[in-house]
Amino acid sequence: MKKREQQRQQTRATILSAAEHIYASNGFVQSSTQLIAKEAGVAHGTVFLHFQSQEKLILAVINVLGTDITTRIHESAKQSHSLADVLRTHLTAIEIHESIYSHLIMDMPQLPKEAQQTVIGIQSIIAHHFDQVLNQLKKEKQMKDLPISFIFNTWIGLIHYYLTNCGLFAPHGSVLAIYKDELILNFLKLLEVDKS
Amino acid sequence: MKKREQQRQQTRATILSAAEHIYASNGFVQSSTQLIAKEAGVAHGTVFLHFQSQEKLILAVINVLGTDITTRIHESAKQSHSLADVLRTHLTAIEIHESIYSHLIMDMPQLPKEAQQTVIGIQSIIAHHFDQVLNQLKKEKQMKDLPISFIFNTWIGLIHYYLTNCGLFAPHGSVLAIYKDELILNFLKLLEVDKS
DNA sequence: TTTTATAATGACTATACAGTCAGTGAGTTA
DNA sequence: TAACTCACTGACTGTATAGTCATTATAAAA
């Protein structure tokens, strides 16, 4: 590759990575392109050479995030046969990107629709695995008869509640690192699923 | 009362009410003081004669909201003896202010700490009633042994999930009006509490 | 009636920010 | 080496918005 093209790609990657860092600590809405440029060590204008607009930059970051999370879930899901496995797969994939993912779900209402689509995409995958596992459990009468969608929403709601209130649950660190096991265990108990 | 003082109070009330409307439809963070002034039919500067700053205005609106919700819960809680009663009391109190309450919990991370205190205050009351009712049920062995805090967080998380995703669950109207009964019923089933 | 006090006005300031563009210098080609 | 290309710069523009203040109009006091 030509040296110029190489440097161009490098700069783009630097900006993307800087943006990811800034968004992870300040959230998407409260981060300025100026700050991202500074963090990346480039001029403010350079950001707009690589990304049409702030919105496109945000979408690019979210897209990278979404792709990574869904890939991880997909990989891990091959060995997920119990509900416990599915829950753990979900939380582990999110935990890796906890801070930026938390900001994503908090800022969602103010982000473009395409961003929301990414979140929906992630949840669809989890919902799919949920569906499979829970239908099996229902068939085996190992679980009470509740709408799967309700159970799913309860789970997602619970996780998002912990994530959006990380300041309350884990002021200085990862919420999931602390509560992951406890959450999975208690949720299984709630559904009365045998842990085996 | 002197006519001047009366008019002053009237103007203040008009601004407060206009702010409440605007916040309910646009959210707290995305609403400008200009827009609120326009809605109230007063000059922009007038807003700052009655409220030191935008932040103080937001806090005043939230304070009114918090007081009303907690009062309602307090009133209604006198007749709340079962868990179903407590859940219904909670949702009914919120439903009345659904749009602004939803924005409150969504914008919370970006609001001053005092605002967060209001939300915590509301939840403390609910948590208190939860505690009483669930401890009783536990004593009577009518419920499985899970940490009450976990059950509480699951409930709040579920409700907040529906509220923050109202665009998904109820694009044109009140989420709680549609799902209130269903949510209560399914949550009770989940805990296996006798509905009587 | 005249004077004083003050609620309200709206033009103004200051600031923050997204996005632009003429200019610069290093890399590439002839 | 000379001409050219293009990634990058940073000063600039335009816009949105919180908050200020001299001025105005009206109610209260003298």
Side-chain angles (χ1 to χ4, degrees), chain A residues 35-51:
Chain A
L35 190 63
I36 290 165
K38 197 177 163 192
E39 170 87 7
V42 299
H44 185 213
T46 306
V47 173
F48 295 93
L49 284 183
H50 292 271
F51 302 92

Side-chain angles (χ1 to χ4, degrees), chain B residues 138-155:
Chain B
K138 269 191 180 179
K139 225 180 271 172
E140 296 164 5
K141 308 277 185 195
Q142 287 186 10
M143 214 200 56
K144 67 197 76 172
D145 191 38
L146 278 166
I148 290 184
S149 66
F150 172 78
I151 299 174
F152 179 72
N153 289 335
T154 303
W155 171 249

Side-chain angles (χ1 to χ4, degrees), chain A residues 62 65-70 73 90 93-94 101 104 116-129 152 156:
Chain A
I62 291 177
L65 175 72
T67 304
D68 188 75
I69 291 181
T70 49
I73 292 177
H90 182 205
I94 288 176
Y101 180 82
L104 174 58
Q116 298 173 27
Q117 208 51 48
T118 299
V119 176
I120 291 173
I122 296 172
Q123 288 181 15
S124 295
I125 294 182
I126 294 296
H128 171 71
H129 294 301
F152 179 71
I156 299 284

Side-chain angles (χ1 to χ4, degrees), chain A:
Chain A
M1 195 192 299
K2 304 291 167 62
K3 197 172 177 185
R4 252 202 204 142
E5 179 63 13
Q6 201 177 6
Q7 250 179 13
R8 186 178 159 74
Q9 298 292 343
Q10 175 62 48
T11 302
R12 190 191 146 92
T14 305
I15 293 170
L16 253 182
S17 159
E20 195 192 309
H21 270 115
I22 297 291
Y23 292 150
S25 32
N26 301 358
F28 292 90
V29 179
Q30 302 211 312
S31 300
S32 69
T33 50
Q34 310 246 10
L35 190 63
I36 290 165
K38 197 177 163 192
E39 170 87 7
V42 299
H44 185 213
T46 306
V47 173
F48 295 93
L49 284 183
H50 292 271
F51 302 92
Q52 263 180 56
S53 63
Q54 190 184 36
E55 186 177 306
K56 288 283 169 63
L57 172 58
I58 289 177
L59 288 175
V61 171
I62 291 177
N63 207 45
V64 170
L65 175 72
T67 304
D68 188 75
I69 291 181
T70 49
T71 305
R72 281 172 194 280
I73 292 177
H74 202 74
E75 286 299 313
S76 182
K78 290 172 188 167
Q79 284 99 27
S80 300
H81 298 299
S82 69
L83 177 56
D85 287 341
V86 171
L87 301 183
R88 179 164 301 277
T89 293
H90 182 205
L91 295 194
T92 303
I94 288 176
E95 186 184 358
I96 293 162
H97 303 283
E98 183 176 312
S99 24
I100 197 165
Y101 180 82
S102 300
H103 281 297
L104 174 58
I105 57 178
M106 287 193 277
D107 292 348
M108 246 210 309
Q110 295 162 66
L111 295 177
K113 280 180 195 136
E114 282 160 83
Q116 298 173 27
Q117 208 51 48
T118 299
V119 176
I120 291 173
I122 296 172
Q123 288 181 15
S124 295
I125 294 182
I126 294 296
H128 171 71
H129 294 301
F130 240 75
D131 234 51
Q132 288 199 315
V133 173
L134 288 187
N135 271 319
Q136 186 61 30
L137 288 175
K138 268 191 182 179
K139 227 180 273 173
E140 296 165 4
K141 307 278 185 193
Q142 287 185 10
M143 216 199 57
K144 68 197 74 175
D145 192 36
L146 277 166
I148 290 185
S149 67
F150 173 78
I151 299 174
F152 179 71
N153 289 336
T154 303
W155 171 250
I156 299 284
L158 179 65
I159 300 310
H160 284 194
Y161 184 68
Y162 272 78
L163 290 177
T164 55
N165 291 283
C166 58
L168 201 66
F169 292 114
H172 305 296
S174 159
V175 179
L176 291 181
I178 300 175
Y179 291 102
K180 183 169 54 175
D181 296 323
E182 190 181 320
L183 286 169
I184 295 172
L185 219 73
N186 282 332
F187 192 74
L188 291 175
K189 255 200 225 174
L190 196 61
L191 294 179
E192 288 185 326
V193 174
D194 198 338
K195 262 162 285 169
S196 64

